[in-house]
């Protein structure tokens, strides 16, 4: 009975440690949804947290290290270097603490277990409270930098454990200091990760803002050309009246064709929306796309013009790109926008199918998988929409509705949003 109780307690505290470390790993790198992969990762996390690490003991640290890295590799998403870096960071930190407790204390087994449980809990709390934002991402160069910075603490731990004199059973002052340095190196790595993530986010936001500003400037330039053309209309008419009859008709037809693609239609009460929709209708007409608009926006939107361009322009660009590959009879895009009671709701539909992978990614608040051949140019359409909506407490959703793809977005708009 006593042995059975010990076994149950051992499984219990190993499971708790495993869950805490699993939450910690999941905060730094996204976990894959497959249950078997997660169970394997949970087992490896429990093994890592509860493993006894003695000096000169190869039999515990090496297999545990390899099993944990394999579990992170197979149970987590992300690039290879990201998974490897996170695995090394977590493993070296936990090994450092276990080596300190198992070799530097004279407490009984229950106290050691309690210390390890408290460490796993504190480790989890630190990552969740002070770590980077959830689902953060870094460039490959930044992950390489973090990987290089994580190698020294890993090297310290393995050197002390594997290269020490087998006759030494207690920690010397030098060993104690080195293990503490390896343990607290995680704080520096986590801080570096947070700083790099914030820096990359700021750079991405700056690129999005610059792109939206250029987009708005191009719309303004087009609107200026329209105003200039209207201003010159009297001169054109006078010129046409002075031409002979056989030249007059040709001149007027050319004038009509030149103004067809630059006219501004009045869809709603917001001039910026009208400019964007007019430009997109002209572009869709050239690509033989049937464009339907229902814009119930009676008054100017209390939003920055660059944000309006980001929302409407990028959304319609994505829809156009999706349908221009279809047969001509299937090319259609419909936009419905309504504003009322401080809420702007926009729905854009086009024929198409989201892959199962894309729908899962969107449900997980990520972007759908790009279909562009150059993946490096994918990244500023939907993120720009989401960033603009975020400034007005808004959100977006992509879903499959029958044979159509629907981009639905809404945001709260008030007059003070312009300030």
């Amino acid at each position: 009975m006593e042995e059975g109780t010990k076994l149950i307690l051992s499984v219990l505290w190993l499971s708790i440690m495993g869950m805490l470390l699993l939450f910690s790993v999941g905060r730094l790198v996204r976990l894959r949804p497959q249950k078997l992969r997660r169970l394997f990762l949970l087992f490896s996390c429990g093994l890592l947290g509860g493993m006894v690490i003695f000096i000169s003991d190869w039999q515990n640290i090496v297999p545990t290290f390899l099993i944990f890295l394999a579990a992170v590799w197979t149970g987590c998403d992300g690039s290879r270097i990201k998974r490897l870096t996170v695995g090394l960071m977590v493993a070296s930190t936990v090994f450092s603490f276990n080596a300190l407790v198992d070799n530097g204390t004279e407490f009984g087994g229950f106290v050691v277990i309690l210390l390890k449980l408290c460490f796993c809990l504190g480790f989890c709390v630190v990552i969740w409270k002070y770590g980077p934002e959830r689902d953060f991402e870094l460039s490959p160069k930044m992950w390489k930098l973090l990987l290089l910075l994580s190698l020294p603490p890993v090297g310290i731990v393995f050197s002390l454990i594997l290269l020490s004199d087998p006759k030494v059973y207690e920690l010397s002052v030098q060993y104690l200091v080195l293990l503490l340095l390896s343990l607290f190196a995680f704080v520096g790595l986590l801080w570096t990760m947070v700083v790099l993530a914030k820096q990359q986010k700021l750079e991405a936001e700056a690129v999005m803002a610059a792109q939206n500003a250029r987009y708005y400037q191009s719309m303004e330039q087009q609107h200026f050309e329209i105003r200039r053309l209207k201003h010159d209309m009297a001169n054109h008419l006078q010129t046409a009246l002075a031409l002979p009859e056989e030249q007059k008709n040709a001149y007027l037809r050319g004038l009509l064709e030149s103004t067809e693609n630059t006219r501004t239609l009045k869809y709603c009460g917001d001039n910026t929306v009208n400019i964007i929709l007019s430009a997109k209708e002209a572009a869709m007409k050239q690509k033989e796309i049937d464009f339907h608009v229902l814009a119930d926006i009676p008054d100017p939107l209390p939003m920055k013009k660059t944000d309006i361009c980001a929302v409407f322009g990028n959304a319609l660009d994505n829809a156009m790109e999706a349908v221009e590959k279809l047969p001509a009879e299937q090319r259609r895009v419909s936009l419905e926008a309504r504003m009322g009671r401080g809420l702007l709701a926009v729905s854009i539909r086009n024929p198409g199918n989201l892959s199962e992978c894309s729908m899962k990614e969107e449900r997980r608040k990520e972007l759908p998988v790009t279909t562009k051949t150059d993946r490096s140019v994918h990244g500023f359409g939907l993120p720009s929409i989401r960033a603009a909506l975020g400034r007005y407490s808004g959100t977006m959703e992509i879903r499959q509705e029958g044979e159509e793809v629907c981009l639905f977005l809404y945001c709260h708009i008030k007059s003070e949003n312009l300030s």
Side-chain angles (χ1 to χ4, degrees):
M1 183 64 179
E2 184 177 353
E3 293 296 328
T5 302
K6 290 182 178 180
L7 178 61
I8 293 175
L9 291 176
S10 298
V11 172
L12 179 61
W13 65 261
L14 284 174
S15 299
I16 296 174
M17 287 185 186
M19 290 298 298
L20 292 172
L21 292 180
L22 181 66
F23 290 151
S24 302
V25 173
R27 185 63 173 77
L28 299 176
V29 58
R30 180 178 292 278
L31 304 181
R32 291 180 176 173
Q34 293 86 351
K35 293 183 179 180
L36 289 179
R37 294 176 184 267
R38 292 201 176 190
L39 285 175
F40 179 42
L41 185 57
L42 174 62
F43 167 77
S44 68
C45 288
L47 186 67
L48 176 69
M51 183 55 62
V52 177
I53 304 298
F54 289 128
I55 294 178
S56 305
D57 186 0
W58 289 61
Q59 297 179 356
N60 287 347
I61 189 171
V62 174
T64 304
F65 180 69
L66 295 178
I67 291 173
F68 178 72
L69 287 185
V72 172
W73 191 270
T74 58
C76 299
D77 282 328
S79 63
R80 297 176 180 178
I81 191 169
K82 178 179 181 178
R83 287 175 285 168
L84 178 60
T85 302
V86 171
L88 291 178
M89 289 172 56
V90 175
S92 64
T93 306
V94 177
F95 281 149
S96 299
F97 182 80
N98 287 0
L100 284 171
V101 172
D102 293 328
N103 295 275
T105 65
E106 297 180 356
F107 298 120
F110 176 78
V111 176
V112 170
I113 293 173
L114 185 60
L115 289 173
K116 291 183 178 181
L117 279 172
C118 292
F119 172 77
C120 291
L121 177 60
F123 186 74
C124 184
V125 170
V126 168
I127 290 179
W128 277 85
K129 186 173 182 179
Y130 301 105
E133 294 181 0
R134 190 173 182 83
D135 299 330
F136 77 102
E137 190 52 80
L138 300 176
S139 66
K141 289 184 178 179
M142 291 182 179
W143 280 117
K144 289 179 181 179
L145 173 62
L146 281 173
L147 177 61
L148 291 176
L149 294 176
S150 65
L151 291 179
V154 174
I156 290 175
V157 174
F158 276 84
S159 297
L160 292 178
I161 301 301
L162 303 181
L163 302 181
S164 299
D165 188 351
K167 298 180 180 179
V168 177
Y169 298 101
E170 295 182 357
L171 285 179
S172 63
V173 177
Q174 294 86 346
Y175 286 8
L176 179 63
V177 171
L178 289 175
L179 285 175
L180 287 174
L181 288 175
S182 176
L183 179 63
F184 287 103
F186 178 79
V187 177
L189 290 172
L190 187 65
W191 191 7
T192 303
M193 187 181 294
V194 172
V195 172
L196 292 177
K198 288 183 178 179
Q199 179 65 27
Q200 183 156 302
K201 183 180 179 181
L202 290 175
E203 292 176 357
E205 290 177 350
V207 171
M208 291 180 190
Q211 184 192 50
N212 293 338
R214 289 194 299 269
Y215 198 0
Y216 175 70
Q217 289 172 2
S218 67
M219 295 294 102
E220 283 284 287
Q221 180 63 28
Q222 185 182 29
H223 192 45
F224 172 77
E225 293 295 330
I226 294 171
R227 296 198 305 269
R228 182 184 60 80
L229 185 60
K230 289 180 178 180
H231 182 268
D232 294 341
M233 188 59 66
N235 294 330
H236 287 297
L237 293 176
Q238 291 177 1
T239 302
L241 290 174
L243 291 174
E245 190 66 28
E246 62 274 9
Q247 297 180 16
K248 183 185 301 182
N249 292 335
Y251 182 83
L252 291 176
R253 282 196 299 269
L255 183 62
L256 289 173
E257 291 175 358
S258 66
T259 58
E260 179 66 23
N261 291 332
T262 56
R263 64 195 177 104
T264 300
L265 299 178
K266 185 173 177 61
Y267 296 92
C268 63
D270 187 274
N271 191 47
T272 304
V273 175
N274 291 331
I275 294 174
I276 296 171
L277 296 183
S278 298
K280 297 309 174 185
E281 183 185 15
M284 291 190 194
K285 185 174 182 181
Q286 292 178 352
K287 297 179 180 181
E288 299 181 348
I289 300 174
D290 191 13
F291 185 38
H292 296 274
V293 177
L294 175 59
D296 185 10
I297 304 176
D299 302 310
L301 292 173
M303 299 170 63
K304 293 183 179 179
K305 295 181 179 180
T306 53
D307 291 333
I308 296 175
C309 288
V311 172
F312 285 88
N314 285 308
L316 289 173
D317 284 343
N318 289 342
M320 278 195 294
E321 183 180 349
V323 301
E324 65 182 351
K325 298 173 289 187
L326 300 175
E329 62 274 9
Q330 298 180 18
R331 298 175 192 168
R332 64 180 183 276
V333 174
S334 62
L335 179 144
E336 183 176 356
R338 298 183 183 276
M339 184 185 73
R341 297 184 179 181
L343 184 69
L344 172 66
V346 181
S347 174
I348 298 177
R349 301 172 182 272
N350 59 268
N353 289 287
L354 288 175
S355 65
E356 183 65 22
C357 178
S358 296
M359 295 182 70
K360 286 182 179 179
E361 294 299 319
E362 176 57 29
R363 283 196 294 266
R364 287 155 56 180
K365 302 301 180 182
E366 292 184 349
L367 299 178
V369 177
T370 179
T371 58
K372 297 180 180 178
T373 55
D374 185 4
R375 291 177 178 264
S376 63
V377 301
H378 175 75
F380 295 118
L382 296 179
S384 184
I385 297 174
R386 183 165 288 162
L389 293 174
R391 287 187 278 273
Y392 306 93
S393 301
T395 186
M396 59 175 282
E397 179 185 354
I398 302 177
R399 55 179 180 247
Q400 185 78 44
E401 295 186 355
E403 297 181 352
E404 290 185 328
V405 176
C406 176
L407 171 63
F408 177 76
L409 52 92
Y410 72 89
C411 61
H412 301 276
I413 49 176
K414 298 179 182 179
S415 58
E416 57 266 24
N417 285 336
L418 287 173
S419 59

